[in-house]
Amino acid sequence: MNSESSSSTQQSAESHYEGYRFYTETIEVTRMSALAFFEAGGDEYAGKRMYWQNREKTFTLVGIGHAHVLSTNKSTGRFEKIKEDWKSLCRQIVNEESSVQPVLFGGFSFDPLNNKPSEWTRFPQAYFAVPTFQLILKGEQAFVSIHFITDQQESFAEFDAMRKERDKLIHAAQVTEVDKYDKPQAIGRTELRKEEYLGSIQQVTDIIKAERVEKVVIARTLKLEYAQKLSPAAALYQVSNEQPESFLFGLEAEEQFFFGATPERLVKVEDRKALSTCLAGSTPRGKTVEKDTELGEALLKDPKNRAEHQYVVKMISEVFEANCSRTIVPKLPKLMKIRDIQHLYTPVEGELNSGSTLFDLVEVLHPTPALGGEPKLKALELIRDYEAMNRGYYAAPVGWIDAKGDGEFAVAIRSALLDGEKAYLYAGGGIVADSTPESEYDETWVKFRPMLRALGGQWSDES
């Protein structure tokens, strides 16, 4: 975005929030189940809840209610708009807590220029919320915050009522035993636009062979159907048990709920230190230790997967070198092994330059070649032209940022959208010159497995 446009966006945000006050109050409480707190808000705040747990399980965030929503349906300038609105809103904080910061949580769509009809009816192109009630678990400590954003001068009575509501939520979460949710059982499973997907693989492969592009990621959708509406809390419970080594996220938009357990960090910023994850190239887990090791070693030596991984390393490294100092990039990838799949993995670190922010990194990193392709803009055009779906928030950035500018975004893969009695699952793979429709189709089944298992949709190795 040019400086004139950026300045205009900033002035607009500042004038919009002039006269507002952003009140916060935080108390430390006895540690409780994050899922129980999420569930405690299910009756009064359905459609306005959020959930996040990092892969290391050192930070968990639950948001209940919307103190304020930042969103846009514009196809351009969405990262800048959310960044400037949040910065302006944070200037209105009255009683900033030093130990616990207010958090903005949400995500962006994968591609706002994709105008195909989709199931993502409640999610705008960017959708973030400041929760009314915020639970943060760090180590052995638990903090609950109230956030109240208002342009009214007299608000003592409202804030006092919020304290009572906060205490009710805490009590419910602490005294109610967390349900051991039964796994749902799908009564129907449909591969949406399967033939179009297979055809698109061949078409894109031919384009790559003609040397018009190096790599394009093509995804597909699986729909599960149920006898009754699925519970967001039950879905989080199941997927957290199935994929404990992943980032866990959940975001409600009215009656729709997008959630997942992704292995892939997009970028994290903490005290100006930036960290990203290059994750591309994959193979299944072996049924024995010996077979698992054999598959992992083969992945490390495989030219196709190494080339696919190197696209991601090159792109993320270049972004970090432009926005950070003292960038560290290991020369060789490692293996990241999770339940169903093992990936090639390279961490990238750097010190964020003055003036650069987490939102700036999210904007330039999305989508990485692991989820879009290379070169980026040409790959996105081909995805729009040939992919038989609209990704919505699948494979897009989802995460949080606090009032200090610290935060973390993950890439929303291994994910699903709950919509009433339906669930939509998403999976894709990188297409290169030697890809075949059959091999890519088989790879998507491996990537569908975590969500299929969590949501009671069966699969077979022959699927």
Side-chain angles (χ1 to χ4, degrees):
M1 177 173 287
N2 63 48
S3 58
E4 184 179 340
S5 175
S6 176
S7 174
S8 172
T9 303
Q10 184 172 341
Q11 288 171 4
S12 172
E14 286 175 357
S15 62
H16 180 68
Y17 291 110
E18 190 176 339
Y20 276 76
R21 293 292 179 268
F22 186 163
Y23 296 104
T24 75
E25 180 178 274
T26 299
I27 60 171
E28 186 168 1
V29 298
T30 305
R31 190 176 169 92
M32 69 186 84
S33 159
L35 196 57
F37 191 74
F38 180 89
E39 182 75 328
D43 291 335
E44 293 292 322
Y45 301 95
K48 297 180 179 180
R49 294 176 296 168
M50 54 213 82
Y51 194 101
W52 172 274
Q53 186 174 67
N54 66 4
R55 193 170 58 214
E56 300 80 12
K57 307 295 177 280
T58 56
F59 179 89
T60 303
L61 162 72
V62 180
I64 295 175
H66 288 169
H68 196 74
V69 173
L70 302 179
S71 68
T72 181
N73 255 321
K74 292 183 177 177
S75 58
T76 59
R78 57 197 181 132
F79 294 94
E80 187 74 13
K81 174 174 171 48
I82 300 299
K83 177 181 82 171
E84 292 300 336
D85 280 356
W86 177 235
K87 192 188 300 182
S88 178
L89 199 53
C90 287
R91 290 193 188 101
Q92 313 307 322
I93 294 175
V94 175
N95 47 343
E96 186 174 344
E97 301 278 347
S98 58
S99 58
V100 177
Q101 298 286 323
V103 164
L104 181 74
F105 184 88
F108 299 92
S109 68
F110 182 82
D111 179 8
L113 299 181
N114 187 322
N115 55 17
K116 292 185 178 81
S118 81
E119 58 275 10
W120 297 85
T121 55
R122 298 297 184 230
F123 283 82
Q125 301 298 344
Y127 173 57
F128 286 81
V130 181
T132 305
F133 304 101
Q134 170 185 294
L135 168 68
I136 285 181
L137 304 180
K138 285 198 243 181
E140 295 304 312
Q141 291 182 290
F143 303 92
V144 175
S145 304
I146 298 171
H147 301 142
F148 183 48
I149 298 169
T150 181
D151 59 356
Q152 302 300 310
Q153 294 301 309
E154 294 297 327
S155 53
F156 296 111
E158 287 178 81
F159 204 84
D160 202 46
M162 292 171 71
R163 289 189 181 104
K164 293 183 173 67
E165 181 66 15
R166 172 199 64 197
D167 294 344
K168 255 174 56 180
L169 291 167
I170 292 169
H171 178 264
Q174 288 178 336
V175 304
T176 306
E177 189 173 340
V178 182
D179 289 332
K180 301 294 188 289
Y181 301 96
D182 292 333
K183 187 170 287 191
Q185 292 302 316
I187 59 173
R189 188 178 83 179
T190 308
E191 296 181 65
L192 300 181
R193 299 174 290 277
K194 175 183 172 182
E195 295 308 317
E196 290 177 64
Y197 163 78
L198 292 171
S200 71
I201 301 297
Q202 191 58 61
Q203 291 170 309
V204 169
T205 302
D206 292 342
I207 291 169
I208 292 170
K209 286 177 179 174
E211 299 183 347
R212 288 173 53 195
V213 66
E214 296 174 60
K215 173 191 171 183
V216 181
V217 177
I218 297 294
R220 69 187 186 100
T221 312
L222 192 64
K223 182 172 78 170
L224 303 180
E225 296 174 79
Y226 299 86
Q228 57 190 22
K229 183 179 177 181
L230 293 176
S231 153
L236 286 170
Y237 173 83
Q238 296 296 344
V239 79
S240 66
N241 286 340
E242 296 288 350
Q243 300 290 315
E245 62 283 89
S246 298
F247 292 93
L248 186 62
F249 68 88
L251 179 62
E252 286 186 324
E254 298 180 38
E255 69 273 15
Q256 293 190 317
F257 180 61
F258 180 50
F259 78 107
T262 174
E264 186 165 356
R265 171 188 287 123
L266 182 63
V267 62
K268 175 183 180 180
V269 169
E270 185 174 11
D271 295 328
R272 308 298 295 171
K273 180 180 177 182
L275 175 66
S276 187
T277 299
C278 306
L279 201 70
S282 59
T283 193
R285 299 298 305 268
K287 295 189 184 302
T288 65
V289 172
E290 292 76 17
K291 185 62 177 175
D292 197 58
T293 302
E294 180 187 325
L295 287 167
E297 291 297 323
L299 177 62
L300 286 166
K301 295 172 184 173
D302 180 66
K304 173 184 178 292
N305 280 289
R306 284 293 293 272
E308 188 178 334
H309 185 75
Q310 196 54 38
Y311 288 138
V312 182
V313 173
K314 181 175 182 292
M315 180 268 202
I316 292 180
S317 300
E318 287 172 353
V319 166
F320 267 57
E321 284 161 8
N323 290 275
C324 301
S325 60
R326 297 196 296 276
T327 300
I328 302 169
V329 186
K331 287 186 167 50
L332 296 172
K334 308 172 188 175
L335 291 174
M336 178 187 288
K337 296 179 183 247
I338 53 180
R339 181 167 179 178
D340 296 293
I341 196 167
Q342 41 192 326
H343 294 282
L344 295 177
Y345 158 71
T346 300
V348 178
E349 298 179 31
E351 292 287 332
L352 203 58
N353 290 337
S354 175
S356 292
T357 70
L358 175 58
F359 277 126
D360 295 328
L361 288 177
V362 171
E363 179 174 12
V364 289
L365 285 171
H366 172 71
T368 71
L371 280 309
E374 184 69 25
K376 178 195 282 193
L377 295 181
K378 183 61 181 175
L380 283 171
E381 287 177 15
L382 291 170
I383 291 169
R384 282 180 215 126
D385 290 343
Y386 292 98
E387 193 170 78
M389 59 182 279
N390 185 330
R391 295 188 186 186
Y393 279 40
Y394 162 68
V398 171
W400 62 274
I401 184 170
D402 70 16
K404 269 175 50 183
D406 288 351
E408 186 164 28
F409 279 76
V411 180
I413 56 175
R414 313 296 189 269
S415 54
L417 177 70
L418 301 188
D419 187 10
E421 294 82 30
K422 300 182 292 292
Y424 297 90
L425 284 61
Y426 309 94
I431 312 306
V432 291
D434 60 351
S435 295
T436 66
E438 296 77 16
S439 63
E440 295 301 325
Y441 176 76
D442 290 345
E443 184 178 327
T444 61
W445 280 111
V446 176
K447 293 173 177 176
F448 276 134
R449 282 184 181 182
M451 280 296 158
L452 277 171
R453 209 170 20 235
L455 293 176
Q458 300 305 309
W459 83 91
S460 69
D461 291 332
E462 293 76 38
S463 292

